[in-house]
């Protein structure tokens, strides 16, 4: 008489040891973003990321794949963040300027992550949400067609140029002797002007002044 065959047991995944650290995909991405923001992309490695989370490197690969796949995920997050533009203000000028302010702050707050976007050649995608918002607001202000295109491009060029210069001038100023001599000459005729020129610039205020004046002119001349 044949004996009944034993049904093979379904294999089970080994349970984690008590007290073993657990990690989620979101935790991996959040930590990776923080590491890039603090140390740049060159400071991001799978081993460093695993050590930061207190897990094995294999756990990182399980959740996000290799480093290139991880960077792609970070870029997608940045593009998503850049799309979260909140338009504020009671006038057309104020609403348009608020878009420029929001875009500037998003770029300045995550320079290393923006660098990853540029490495992937996705700058146009990064700036698209702001461009869409600007088109809507200029249309609401009565600016259309080629004039609207020029207005949108003017604001975005002003933003890009200002941010580039702002980054270049970040840090302690080391003015040459001829600048100090020139400021003394200015101070002889206008002490207040010389003092203001010698002080660190208020980038936020300067940006708002420049964009506001530009937008007012663009709407007035449309």
């Amino acid at each position: 008489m044949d004996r009944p065959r034993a049904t093979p047991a379904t294999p089970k995944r080994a349970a984690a040891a008590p007290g073993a650290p657990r990690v989620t995909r979101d935790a991996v991405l959040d930590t990776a973003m923080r590491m890039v923001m603090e140390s740049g992309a060159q400071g991001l490695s799978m081993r460093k990321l695993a050590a930061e989370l207190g897990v094995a490197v294999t756990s990182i690969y399980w959740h996000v794949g290799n480093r290139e796949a991880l960077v792609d995920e970070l870029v997608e997050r940045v593009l998503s963040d850049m799309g979260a533009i909140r338009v504020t203000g009671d006038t057309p000028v104020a609403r348009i300027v608020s878009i420029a302010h929001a875009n500037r702050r998003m770029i300045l707050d995550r320079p290393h992550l923006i660098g990853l976007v540029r490495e992937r050649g996705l700058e146009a995608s990064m700036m698209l949400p702001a461009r869409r918002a600007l088109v809507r607001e200029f249309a609401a202000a009565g600016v259309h067609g080629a004039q609207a295109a020029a207005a949108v491009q003017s604001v975005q060029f002003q933003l890009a140029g200002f941010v580039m210069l702002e980054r270049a001038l970040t840090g302690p100023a080391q003015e040459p002797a001829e600048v100090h001599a020139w400021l003394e000459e200015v101070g002889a005729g206008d002490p207040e002007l010389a003092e203001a020129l010698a002080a660190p610039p208020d980038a936020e205020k300067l940006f708002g002044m420049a964009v506001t004046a530009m937008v007012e002119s663009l709407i007035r001349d449309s």
Side-chain angles (χ1 to χ4, degrees):
M1 182 174 178
D2 295 335
R3 293 181 180 179
R5 295 180 181 179
T7 303
T10 303
K12 295 181 179 180
R13 184 176 294 178
R22 302 186 65 180
V23 67
T24 64
R25 186 169 181 276
D26 283 341
V28 171
L29 294 174
D30 290 343
T31 303
M33 287 193 76
R34 177 176 56 78
M35 291 174 66
V36 172
M37 291 179 72
E38 292 175 352
S39 306
Q42 69 278 2
L44 177 66
S45 72
M46 304 305 268
R47 290 188 179 278
K48 287 182 180 179
L49 181 55
E52 188 77 13
L53 289 163
V55 299
V57 177
T58 52
S59 180
I60 305 298
Y61 284 106
W62 171 266
H63 285 290
V64 295
N66 60 21
R67 187 181 184 281
E68 283 300 302
L70 172 60
V71 171
D72 286 340
E73 291 282 354
L74 296 181
V75 168
E76 285 298 319
R77 273 201 169 193
V78 174
L79 294 179
S80 176
D81 289 347
M82 295 295 286
I85 296 176
R86 181 169 173 264
V87 184
T88 60
D90 298 326
T91 67
V93 171
R95 291 177 64 81
I96 293 168
V97 171
S98 77
I99 297 170
H101 272 298
N103 216 195
R104 169 181 169 273
R105 180 45 53 195
M106 287 175 176
I107 294 172
L108 291 177
D109 285 349
R110 42 180 71 75
H112 296 304
L113 290 167
I114 298 299
L116 292 179
V117 174
R118 288 178 175 148
E119 287 178 11
R120 292 294 193 268
L122 296 172
E123 297 99 322
S125 296
M126 179 180 70
M127 300 303 290
L128 181 58
R131 176 170 287 194
R132 285 174 172 161
L134 289 170
V135 167
R136 287 195 301 268
E137 294 303 324
F138 273 113
V143 186
H144 304 281
Q147 287 182 318
V152 170
Q153 291 166 348
S154 295
V155 172
Q156 291 201 300
F157 270 69
Q158 172 72 9
L159 168 66
F162 193 97
V163 169
M164 186 181 300
L165 183 61
E166 190 173 357
R167 284 177 175 171
L169 296 179
T170 298
Q174 296 181 350
E175 295 176 339
E178 60 262 34
V179 174
H180 288 288
W182 173 71
L183 287 174
E184 289 181 1
E185 292 178 9
V186 172
D190 191 338
E192 183 180 354
L193 172 60
E195 182 180 359
L197 287 172
D202 184 340
E204 183 83 17
K205 181 179 179 180
L206 291 176
F207 182 72
M209 289 173 58
V211 176
T212 299
M214 173 184 288
V215 173
E216 287 175 344
S217 175
L218 291 167
I219 292 177
R220 182 178 63 248
D221 297 340
S222 63

